[in-house]
Amino acid sequence: MKKINVKTVFVLLISCIFILSACGQGAKETGSNSSSVKTLSVGTEATFAPFEFMDKGKVSGFDVDLLNAVAKAAGYKVDIKNTGWDPMMAGIQNGSIDIGIAGITINKDRKSTYDFSNPYFESINMIVVGKDSTVENAKDLKGKKIGVQNGTTGQMAAEKLFGKNNKNISKYETSAMSFMALENGDVEAVVTDNAVANEYVKKNPDKNVKTVDDKTNFSPEYYGILFPKGSELKAKFDKALNDVLDNGTYTEIYKKWFGVEPDVEVLKSAQK
Ligand code: ARG
Protein backbone atom coordinates (compact mmCIF):
# COMPACT_ATOMS: atom_id res chain seq x y z
CA MET A 1 0.00 0.00 0.00
CA LYS A 2 2.64 2.43 1.08
CA LYS A 3 4.75 1.75 -2.00
CA ILE A 4 1.83 2.27 -4.40
CA ASN A 5 1.00 5.57 -2.76
CA VAL A 6 4.50 6.93 -3.17
CA LYS A 7 4.53 5.83 -6.77
CA THR A 8 1.12 7.41 -7.46
CA VAL A 9 2.18 10.66 -5.86
CA PHE A 10 5.37 10.65 -7.90
CA VAL A 11 3.53 10.02 -11.17
CA LEU A 12 0.99 12.72 -10.32
CA LEU A 13 3.77 15.16 -9.49
CA ILE A 14 5.57 14.49 -12.75
CA SER A 15 2.41 14.91 -14.79
CA CYS A 16 1.59 18.14 -12.97
CA ILE A 17 5.01 19.55 -13.75
CA PHE A 18 4.64 18.43 -17.35
CA ILE A 19 1.18 20.00 -17.75
CA LEU A 20 2.24 23.25 -16.06
CA SER A 21 5.33 23.65 -18.20
CA ALA A 22 3.29 22.88 -21.31
CA CYS A 23 0.80 25.58 -20.32
CA GLY A 24 3.54 28.08 -19.69
CA GLN A 25 5.02 27.36 -23.08
CA GLY A 26 1.67 27.72 -24.78
CA ALA A 27 1.02 31.11 -23.23
CA LYS A 28 4.46 32.33 -24.23
CA GLU A 29 3.94 31.20 -27.78
CA THR A 30 0.65 33.03 -28.25
CA GLY A 31 2.12 36.06 -26.52
CA SER A 32 4.96 36.38 -28.99
CA ASN A 33 2.96 35.32 -32.00
CA SER A 34 2.19 38.84 -33.22
CA SER A 35 1.28 37.78 -36.73
CA SER A 36 -2.17 36.67 -35.53
CA VAL A 37 -2.88 40.07 -33.91
CA LYS A 38 -4.53 42.44 -36.36
CA THR A 39 -3.09 45.94 -36.69
CA LEU A 40 -5.75 48.64 -37.08
CA SER A 41 -5.02 51.88 -38.91
CA VAL A 42 -5.76 54.96 -36.81
CA GLY A 43 -6.03 58.58 -37.91
CA THR A 44 -5.59 61.70 -35.77
CA GLU A 45 -4.82 65.43 -35.87
CA ALA A 46 -1.68 65.69 -33.79
CA THR A 47 -1.50 69.39 -32.87
CA PHE A 48 -3.84 68.95 -29.91
CA ALA A 49 -1.65 68.56 -26.83
CA PRO A 50 -1.96 66.97 -24.34
CA PHE A 51 -4.23 64.56 -26.25
CA GLU A 52 -2.07 64.15 -29.36
CA PHE A 53 1.03 65.92 -30.58
CA MET A 54 4.18 65.03 -32.49
CA ASP A 55 7.15 64.14 -30.30
CA LYS A 56 10.37 63.14 -32.07
CA GLY A 57 8.44 62.08 -35.15
CA LYS A 58 5.92 60.00 -33.21
CA VAL A 59 2.33 60.74 -32.25
CA SER A 60 2.26 61.02 -28.47
CA GLY A 61 -0.25 62.02 -25.79
CA PHE A 62 -3.10 60.92 -23.55
CA ASP A 63 -5.18 59.62 -26.48
CA VAL A 64 -2.25 57.55 -27.76
CA ASP A 65 -1.61 55.90 -24.40
CA LEU A 66 -5.30 55.28 -23.85
CA LEU A 67 -5.92 53.84 -27.32
CA ASN A 68 -2.89 51.57 -27.01
CA ALA A 69 -4.20 50.23 -23.70
CA VAL A 70 -7.78 49.79 -24.95
CA ALA A 71 -6.70 48.18 -28.23
CA LYS A 72 -4.46 45.78 -26.33
CA ALA A 73 -7.36 44.81 -24.06
CA ALA A 74 -9.51 44.26 -27.15
CA GLY A 75 -6.81 42.08 -28.76
CA TYR A 76 -5.59 44.49 -31.45
CA LYS A 77 -2.53 46.48 -32.36
CA VAL A 78 -2.82 50.05 -33.60
CA ASP A 79 -0.83 52.11 -36.07
CA ILE A 80 -1.54 55.78 -35.30
CA LYS A 81 -0.84 58.30 -38.09
CA ASN A 82 -1.10 62.08 -38.07
CA THR A 83 -3.51 62.20 -41.00
CA GLY A 84 -5.06 65.59 -40.18
CA TRP A 85 -8.67 66.20 -39.11
CA ASP A 86 -10.59 66.17 -42.39
CA PRO A 87 -8.68 63.22 -43.91
CA MET A 88 -9.29 61.29 -40.66
CA MET A 89 -13.03 61.91 -40.89
CA ALA A 90 -13.10 61.09 -44.62
CA GLY A 91 -10.88 58.01 -44.17
CA ILE A 92 -13.19 56.50 -41.60
CA GLN A 93 -16.17 57.14 -43.83
CA ASN A 94 -14.57 55.49 -46.88
CA GLY A 95 -13.10 52.61 -44.88
CA SER A 96 -9.39 53.38 -45.42
CA ILE A 97 -9.03 54.12 -41.67
CA ASP A 98 -10.40 51.84 -38.94
CA ILE A 99 -10.36 54.24 -36.01
CA GLY A 100 -10.16 57.96 -35.26
CA ILE A 101 -8.90 59.33 -31.95
CA ALA A 102 -8.37 63.07 -31.67
CA GLY A 103 -10.28 64.39 -28.67
CA ILE A 104 -13.35 63.91 -30.85
CA THR A 105 -16.56 65.09 -29.21
CA ILE A 106 -19.52 62.75 -29.35
CA ASN A 107 -22.48 64.62 -30.82
CA LYS A 108 -25.76 63.90 -32.56
CA ASP A 109 -24.67 65.20 -35.93
CA ARG A 110 -21.55 63.03 -36.08
CA LYS A 111 -23.46 60.03 -34.75
CA SER A 112 -25.56 60.01 -37.92
CA THR A 113 -22.41 59.25 -39.97
CA TYR A 114 -20.11 57.49 -37.49
CA ASP A 115 -20.15 55.25 -34.44
CA PHE A 116 -18.52 56.34 -31.20
CA SER A 117 -17.17 54.36 -28.28
CA ASN A 118 -18.50 55.14 -24.82
CA PRO A 119 -17.21 58.47 -23.41
CA TYR A 120 -13.57 58.49 -22.27
CA PHE A 121 -13.05 62.16 -21.33
CA GLU A 122 -15.16 65.14 -20.30
CA SER A 123 -14.42 68.48 -21.94
CA ILE A 124 -15.90 71.97 -22.42
CA ASN A 125 -14.97 74.84 -24.72
CA MET A 126 -12.81 77.65 -23.39
CA ILE A 127 -11.46 80.98 -24.64
CA VAL A 128 -7.79 81.88 -25.05
CA VAL A 129 -6.96 85.61 -25.32
CA GLY A 130 -4.01 87.94 -24.82
CA LYS A 131 -3.09 88.62 -21.17
CA ASP A 132 -4.41 92.21 -21.24
CA SER A 133 -7.68 91.36 -22.98
CA THR A 134 -10.86 92.62 -21.31
CA VAL A 135 -12.85 89.57 -22.46
CA GLU A 136 -14.54 87.98 -19.44
CA ASN A 137 -16.97 85.58 -21.09
CA ALA A 138 -18.04 84.27 -24.50
CA LYS A 139 -20.57 87.08 -25.06
CA ASP A 140 -17.71 89.58 -24.82
CA LEU A 141 -16.31 88.10 -28.04
CA LYS A 142 -19.07 89.86 -30.00
CA GLY A 143 -17.55 91.88 -32.85
CA LYS A 144 -14.09 90.44 -32.17
CA LYS A 145 -12.11 88.18 -34.50
CA ILE A 146 -12.28 84.58 -33.28
CA GLY A 147 -10.08 81.67 -34.40
CA VAL A 148 -11.32 78.09 -34.34
CA GLN A 149 -10.23 74.77 -35.78
CA ASN A 150 -12.38 74.00 -38.80
CA GLY A 151 -15.08 71.40 -38.23
CA THR A 152 -14.74 71.30 -34.46
CA THR A 153 -17.13 71.99 -31.62
CA GLY A 154 -15.18 75.24 -31.03
CA GLN A 155 -16.44 76.41 -34.41
CA MET A 156 -19.96 75.23 -33.59
CA ALA A 157 -19.92 77.04 -30.23
CA ALA A 158 -18.73 80.30 -31.82
CA GLU A 159 -21.31 80.01 -34.62
CA LYS A 160 -24.09 79.31 -32.15
CA LEU A 161 -23.29 82.60 -30.41
CA PHE A 162 -22.52 84.82 -33.40
CA GLY A 163 -24.13 83.19 -36.44
CA LYS A 164 -23.08 80.63 -39.02
CA ASN A 165 -21.34 82.62 -41.71
CA ASN A 166 -20.10 85.31 -39.37
CA LYS A 167 -17.07 86.99 -41.00
CA ASN A 168 -15.37 87.37 -37.62
CA ILE A 169 -15.00 83.61 -37.22
CA SER A 170 -11.83 82.35 -38.92
CA LYS A 171 -11.52 78.60 -39.44
CA TYR A 172 -8.10 76.93 -39.43
CA GLU A 173 -7.17 73.47 -40.59
CA THR A 174 -5.31 72.47 -37.42
CA SER A 175 -5.54 73.39 -33.77
CA ALA A 176 -1.95 74.73 -33.89
CA MET A 177 -2.81 77.10 -36.75
CA SER A 178 -5.60 78.70 -34.71
CA PHE A 179 -3.13 79.42 -31.89
CA MET A 180 -0.63 80.80 -34.42
CA ALA A 181 -3.31 83.18 -35.67
CA LEU A 182 -3.70 84.43 -32.10
CA GLU A 183 0.07 84.90 -31.77
CA ASN A 184 0.17 86.81 -35.09
CA GLY A 185 -2.72 89.02 -34.09
CA ASP A 186 -4.90 87.71 -36.94
CA VAL A 187 -7.53 86.86 -34.33
CA GLU A 188 -8.18 88.21 -30.84
CA ALA A 189 -9.38 84.96 -29.32
CA VAL A 190 -9.35 81.21 -29.87
CA VAL A 191 -12.22 78.96 -28.83
CA THR A 192 -11.08 75.40 -28.15
CA ASP A 193 -11.30 72.52 -25.68
CA ASN A 194 -10.41 73.47 -22.08
CA ALA A 195 -7.60 70.96 -21.52
CA VAL A 196 -5.93 72.06 -24.77
CA ALA A 197 -6.37 75.75 -23.97
CA ASN A 198 -4.87 75.23 -20.50
CA GLU A 199 -1.95 73.23 -21.87
CA TYR A 200 -1.19 75.87 -24.52
CA VAL A 201 -1.17 78.70 -21.97
CA LYS A 202 0.95 76.67 -19.54
CA LYS A 203 3.51 75.73 -22.20
CA ASN A 204 3.79 79.26 -23.64
CA PRO A 205 4.53 81.66 -20.81
CA ASP A 206 6.38 83.93 -23.28
CA LYS A 207 3.27 84.40 -25.47
CA ASN A 208 1.36 86.50 -22.91
CA VAL A 209 -1.87 84.55 -23.18
CA LYS A 210 -4.53 83.52 -20.68
CA THR A 211 -7.66 81.38 -20.59
CA VAL A 212 -11.20 82.60 -19.92
CA ASP A 213 -13.84 80.04 -19.04
CA ASP A 214 -17.58 80.32 -19.53
CA LYS A 215 -19.66 77.46 -18.22
CA THR A 216 -22.87 79.34 -19.07
CA ASN A 217 -22.42 79.80 -22.80
CA PHE A 218 -20.46 76.61 -23.41
CA SER A 219 -21.74 73.14 -22.51
CA PRO A 220 -19.93 69.99 -21.36
CA GLU A 221 -18.97 67.46 -24.04
CA TYR A 222 -17.54 63.95 -24.01
CA TYR A 223 -14.79 62.51 -26.18
CA GLY A 224 -15.25 59.14 -27.85
CA ILE A 225 -13.21 56.87 -30.10
CA LEU A 226 -14.54 57.15 -33.66
CA PHE A 227 -15.46 54.14 -35.85
CA PRO A 228 -17.09 53.66 -39.23
CA LYS A 229 -20.87 53.30 -38.91
CA GLY A 230 -21.71 49.68 -38.06
CA SER A 231 -18.11 48.74 -37.21
CA GLU A 232 -17.74 45.50 -35.24
CA LEU A 233 -14.95 47.24 -33.32
CA LYS A 234 -17.34 49.42 -31.30
CA ALA A 235 -18.63 46.64 -29.05
CA LYS A 236 -15.14 45.19 -28.57
CA PHE A 237 -13.60 48.56 -27.72
CA ASP A 238 -16.45 49.51 -25.37
CA LYS A 239 -15.84 46.35 -23.41
CA ALA A 240 -12.07 46.92 -23.44
CA LEU A 241 -12.52 50.56 -22.37
CA ASN A 242 -14.53 49.38 -19.38
CA ASP A 243 -11.77 46.91 -18.49
CA VAL A 244 -9.21 49.71 -18.66
CA LEU A 245 -11.44 51.98 -16.56
CA ASP A 246 -11.97 49.24 -13.95
CA ASN A 247 -8.44 47.85 -13.68
CA GLY A 248 -6.67 51.14 -12.93
CA THR A 249 -4.96 51.55 -16.30
CA TYR A 250 -7.11 54.57 -17.20
CA THR A 251 -6.28 56.19 -13.86
CA GLU A 252 -2.58 55.59 -14.41
CA ILE A 253 -2.64 57.17 -17.89
CA TYR A 254 -4.80 60.08 -16.69
CA LYS A 255 -2.42 60.83 -13.83
CA LYS A 256 0.56 60.71 -16.19
CA TRP A 257 -0.89 63.44 -18.42
CA PHE A 258 -2.98 65.53 -16.03
CA GLY A 259 -1.23 65.03 -12.72
CA VAL A 260 -4.50 64.41 -10.85
CA GLU A 261 -6.91 61.53 -10.26
CA PRO A 262 -9.76 61.14 -12.75
CA ASP A 263 -13.36 60.68 -11.67
CA VAL A 264 -13.90 57.27 -13.24
CA GLU A 265 -17.38 56.91 -11.73
CA VAL A 266 -18.64 60.15 -13.32
CA LEU A 267 -17.28 58.96 -16.67
CA LYS A 268 -18.93 55.57 -16.33
CA SER A 269 -22.25 57.11 -15.37
CA ALA A 270 -22.12 59.12 -18.62
CA GLN A 271 -22.41 55.83 -20.55
CA LYS A 272 -25.78 55.27 -22.11
N1 ARG B 1 -13.40 68.21 -29.28
C1 ARG B 1 -13.48 69.03 -30.43
C2 ARG B 1 -14.31 68.37 -31.49
O1 ARG B 1 -14.49 67.20 -31.47
C3 ARG B 1 -12.11 69.39 -30.99
C4 ARG B 1 -11.27 68.26 -31.38
C5 ARG B 1 -10.02 68.67 -32.11
N2 ARG B 1 -9.05 67.64 -32.12
C6 ARG B 1 -7.84 67.70 -32.70
N3 ARG B 1 -7.05 66.67 -32.55
N4 ARG B 1 -7.46 68.77 -33.35
O2 ARG B 1 -14.79 68.99 -32.38
Side-chain angles (χ1 to χ4, degrees):
M1 264 313 252
K2 210 184 167 193
K3 257 187 193 161
I4 293 168
N5 257 345
V6 170
K7 210 175 169 187
T8 314
V9 167
F10 184 73
V11 167
L12 274 174
L13 209 76
I14 292 294
S15 22
C16 273
I17 289 167
F18 186 76
I19 288 164
L20 278 177
S21 67
C23 281
Q25 231 172 11
K28 222 183 273 162
E29 256 166 35
T30 33
S32 62
N33 183 8
S34 52
S35 60
S36 65
V37 177
K38 199 182 165 201
T39 301
L40 302 169
S41 66
V42 181
T44 193
E45 195 288 291
T47 73
F48 205 61
F51 298 100
E52 43 269 322
F53 55 95
M54 296 309 291
D55 185 23
K56 296 177 200 98
K58 272 182 75 185
V59 188
S60 176
F62 174 85
D63 280 354
V64 175
D65 288 354
L66 181 70
L67 186 66
N68 275 318
V70 174
K72 196 175 168 206
Y76 291 95
K77 283 192 172 179
V78 286
D79 177 23
I80 307 176
K81 288 210 170 74
N82 185 14
T83 55
W85 183 266
D86 289 342
M88 167 186 74
M89 290 297 197
I92 294 172
Q93 228 181 322
N94 71 28
S96 61
I97 296 175
D98 301 307
I99 287 179
I101 192 157
I104 309 168
T105 300
I106 304 168
N107 68 24
K108 233 184 165 180
D109 196 36
R110 290 173 182 164
K111 271 168 122 176
S112 64
T113 318
Y114 305 94
D115 276 347
F116 279 98
S117 71
N118 280 326
Y120 71 84
F121 195 90
E122 191 187 328
S123 174
I124 186 166
N125 272 300
M126 204 178 210
I127 303 161
V128 183
V129 286
K131 265 218 169 101
D132 40 358
S133 168
T134 56
V135 168
E136 281 176 357
N137 55 51
K139 289 262 163 76
D140 289 344
L141 294 175
K142 194 177 168 144
K144 294 195 159 55
K145 284 198 181 322
I146 307 165
V148 295
Q149 189 193 339
N150 188 45
T152 62
T153 54
Q155 178 189 339
M156 292 164 210
E159 286 178 344
K160 198 174 157 203
L161 285 163
F162 306 114
K164 243 193 157 79
N165 296 307
N166 192 310
K167 294 241 153 50
N168 281 329
I169 303 172
S170 301
K171 295 163 250 171
Y172 298 92
E173 198 183 316
T174 67
S175 172
M177 284 165 80
S178 65
F179 284 131
M180 259 186 285
L182 180 67
E183 292 165 21
N184 296 339
D186 292 341
V187 298
E188 252 180 84
V190 165
V191 175
T192 189
D193 301 32
N194 60 339
V196 173
N198 285 325
E199 178 82 358
Y200 169 72
V201 169
K202 195 176 92 191
K203 288 279 158 73
N204 294 281
D206 54 314
K207 300 267 158 67
N208 286 315
V209 282
K210 66 177 180 190
T211 56
V212 175
D213 68 359
D214 185 338
K215 301 218 163 76
T216 313
N217 291 298
F218 299 138
S219 347
E221 321 179 342
Y222 285 101
Y223 294 165
I225 304 167
L226 196 70
F227 305 104
K229 194 116 200 107
S231 170
E232 52 152 29
L233 293 174
K234 179 185 156 49
K236 293 182 183 173
F237 275 63
D238 274 344
K239 196 194 158 291
L241 175 61
N242 266 341
D243 291 346
V244 165
L245 283 167
D246 291 337
N247 69 17
T249 308
Y250 180 91
T251 300
E252 209 177 285
I253 297 169
Y254 192 100
K255 276 161 78 181
K256 170 181 166 189
W257 291 101
F258 298 102
V260 290
E261 293 264 344
D263 196 333
V264 171
E265 284 320 307
V266 162
L267 205 53
K268 289 193 80 176
S269 65
Q271 296 183 5
K272 276 162 243 141

